[in-house]
Amino acid sequence: MSTLTPHGVCLLWKPELVWLNAASDATVAVAFFATAFVLGSFVLRRRRDVMFPSVFSSLAIFAAVCGVAHLLSILTLWVPAYDIEGLTKGLLALISVALTVAMLLMRPRLQVLPTRIQLQEAYAALEEEIRQRRKAEAMVQRFQEIEANESKVRQAQKMEAIGQLTGGVAHDFNNILTVITGSIEILADAVKGQPLLAQITDMISAAAARGADLTRHLLAFARQQPLQPRSTDVNALVIDAARLLRPTLGEQIEIDSMLAHDAAPALIDPSQLSTAILNLALNARDAMPNGGKLTLETRNVVLDQDYARMNSEVSPGNYVMIAVSDTGEGIPGSLLDKVFDPFFTTKDVGKGSGLGLSMVYGFVKQSNGHIKIYSEPGHGTAVKLYLPQATGVPDAPATEPGISGAEHGDESILIVEDDALVREYVVTHVGRFGYRTLAAGNAAEALAIIDGPERIDLLFTDVIMPGGMNGRQLATEALRRRPGLKVLYTSGYTENAIVHHGRLDAGVLLLPKPYLSSDLARRIRTALAS
């Protein structure tokens, strides 16, 4: 190295030339080092997303070596270190060859890379595809909602049609049962001294009572039973029901109560709610033949607009929820839509009429409530009753005041009944009580009698009658012609004539069919004393 001279000698050590070379090489070296840093950090940080990472790495190394070569050029201006500079340039040459080969091999792939405009067009197409897909998904969801709503409407229409049919059947059946029930009472009194005949009359009476219970369930499902809703403490009612259920369900079934301390009173008919809880508990017992757990729960809930949109028959508002849950066998999903249908049952023949859940369904709907059933095979079933809260509704008396005195009298009663068999039966029984009777088969005949001179103390009329005027309309016209006339209604099916929004109209006295002669006598006295 001592035989060599620095590069500055070639520049005659002219300061302007020496420092121009030094400054230029330093600037270029800084540029190369900056390029190497940017390329290297880019590859390291985004190596998974970078195309051709080996090429970018090679360029970074190439730029760094170029920067070193320029620094050595500055050094050789004063120090003749040409051997180190030569080695560096030789390494740079090798890297250049490798990089050139790589670039040439990469050229076909670079030529097919999309341009910025092509990328923008591709992004726009992708966004349009996403928009179209979301639109299609929204349409599918809408179609699913429409299909679900149509299914609910069809189910509601089916239940309404079945309700109308069962209500009509129950009406006619109750007329027949009224005659059978009353006649059996007379027959039973006549054969008290003959054990065999007395046993037969008892069987007939039990069958008639079973038929009456069947029609009550049918009317409950058809939402045609006359309810007497009042403000009811659901916690107290559930506690009483649980106390009655313990001996009924057996020791193998545990009863657990989860009652909300702030549960609001519900506006319902308490006797019908007790019957509904009993039916649900008996269904739960049958679903747990080997024992299990029955849970009775109460809670205040709010059914909002969103829930009402998903369940079109629900009115948004505050409700009291009563849940009856079991750990039984559960119900398959394919059967859940059928469980409220009358006479549908999965039990063996003779073990259930299939009217329990349908009665509960009709009672809840007639009470302006909502019912929901959840079930999972192998894990159990929960039935939730959502009943309207009775906020601001005064408590009504639980029972009708008793009527003191004898259940006979000498007043004059006009009996209006379109069924000749029932009319004859009622006339016979009322006459046995000591009353004077007048009879009519329709409203027109009754009004003709009312316009006559006969004394009439009580109008005892069926609610549903042919001829264009029902019992309520007849009573209104009769009161107009004879103010102060007492009225007692009877019906096996009211068809909204005296029951509106699930409750008996104020001031209305109703004797539901079928009835015993003792019930008839007591109701007549109640009506005459009202």
Side-chain angles (χ1 to χ4, degrees), residues 147 225 230 287 298 315 325 420 426 428 431 444 484 487 518:
E147 184 178 0
Q225 60 179 345
R230 62 175 183 267
T298 63
S315 298
S325 308
V426 176
T428 301
V487 180
S518 57

Side-chain angles (χ1 to χ4, degrees), residues 142-344:
R142 177 60 179 162
F143 287 146
Q144 290 174 341
E145 292 175 354
I146 292 174
E147 184 178 0
N149 289 334
E150 289 178 348
S151 176
K152 291 177 181 178
V153 169
R154 287 194 298 269
Q155 179 71 7
Q157 290 174 340
K158 182 190 77 171
M159 300 295 273
E160 187 68 25
I162 296 175
Q164 291 176 356
L165 174 63
T166 55
V169 171
H171 171 252
D172 293 338
F173 196 38
N174 272 334
N175 280 336
I176 298 171
L177 285 174
T178 299
V179 178
I180 294 174
T181 302
S183 301
I184 286 299
E185 281 190 287
I186 299 174
L187 185 60
D189 289 338
V191 299
K192 282 182 178 178
Q194 303 180 50
L196 180 60
L197 293 179
Q199 184 180 6
I200 293 174
T201 57
D202 289 342
M203 287 191 296
I204 297 174
S205 179
R210 187 174 175 182
D213 185 61
L214 179 66
T215 57
R216 278 195 296 271
H217 282 74
L218 288 172
L219 287 174
F221 169 75
R223 306 180 219 175
Q224 297 294 344
Q225 60 179 345
L227 299 180
Q228 293 181 320
R230 62 175 183 267
S231 180
T232 303
D233 184 345
V234 292
N235 281 351
L237 189 144
V238 170
I239 291 172
D240 290 341
R243 187 181 300 115
L244 294 174
L245 286 172
R246 292 190 188 280
T248 304
L249 300 184
E251 296 181 355
Q252 75 277 15
I253 294 180
E254 175 190 356
I255 301 178
D256 185 25
S257 298
M258 301 173 59
L259 309 181
H261 69 279
D262 61 343
L267 184 61
I268 43 88
D269 188 320
S271 63
Q272 293 296 331
L273 179 57
S274 296
T275 303
I277 293 175
L278 174 62
N279 276 315
L280 294 176
L282 293 179
N283 278 347
R285 179 199 62 186
D286 295 339
M288 299 182 288
N290 299 320
K293 183 177 181 180
L294 176 73
T295 303
L296 303 175
E297 180 185 0
T298 63
R299 191 171 71 245
N300 294 328
V301 298
V302 177
L303 301 183
D304 56 16
Q305 293 285 354
D306 292 336
Y307 188 88
R309 277 193 292 269
M310 293 186 292
N311 300 270
S312 56
E313 78 282 4
V314 176
S315 298
N318 297 319
Y319 292 82
V320 183
M321 188 272 291
I322 301 177
V324 180
S325 308
D326 64 66
T327 57
E329 300 170 348
I331 304 172
S334 58
L335 301 180
L336 279 179
D337 290 339
K338 302 177 182 178
V339 294
F340 295 127
D341 293 355
F343 302 111
F344 175 81

Side-chain angles (χ1 to χ4, degrees), residues 55 97-111:
V55 174
V97 171
L99 187 59
T100 301
V101 173
M103 295 291 285
L104 291 174
L105 294 175
M106 192 175 62
R107 180 174 175 271
R109 297 175 64 184
L110 288 173
Q111 288 180 335

